[in-house]
Amino acid sequence: MPTRVIIVRTPRDIYVYLEEPNARKTESYVALSYCWGGGQEDIIITKTNRPKKLRKIILESLLQTIKDAITVTRELKYKYL
């Protein structure tokens, strides 16, 4: 698995969660190929905001492309993006 994944949970959840799985964890996940542009400072993980991001991320705070990827991941019945 990647070093960081988003736990998407269920369609009713208004939060998603960041997880840093251990190196031995092997589960299926959906990958998003994405080109970062400007204006995305709020979703970049830093040493300062990492503990908060590991607790929960408000879905509405994410960019539409990422929200769409979360919706598709949920519809495909995957746990991780």
Side-chain angles (χ1 to χ4, degrees):
M1 289 185 77
T3 56
R4 289 188 181 117
V5 290
I6 297 172
I7 302 173
V8 300
R9 302 189 50 130
T10 67
R12 292 186 180 158
D13 287 322
I14 61 169
Y15 299 105
V16 294
Y17 301 84
L18 186 67
E19 182 179 314
E20 294 176 334
N22 67 45
R24 294 185 304 251
K25 188 169 188 172
T26 57
E27 288 197 42
S28 297
Y29 60 92
V30 174
L32 170 64
S33 178
Y34 184 71
C35 181
W36 292 89
Q40 301 180 44
E41 293 76 20
D42 291 344
I43 62 171
I44 294 173
I45 299 165
T46 63
K47 287 180 183 180
T48 305
N49 70 13
R50 184 177 162 272
K52 182 180 176 184
K53 299 285 187 188
L54 286 170
R55 286 194 304 269
K56 63 184 173 184
I57 301 168
I58 299 170
L59 186 60
E60 287 303 313
S61 71
L62 300 173
L63 299 171
Q64 189 61 50
T65 301
I66 298 173
K67 289 191 283 189
D68 291 345
I70 289 167
T71 298
V72 170
T73 302
R74 287 172 169 171
E75 289 175 359
L76 292 172
K77 307 285 190 235
Y78 281 85
K79 181 179 178 180
Y80 298 107
L81 171 63

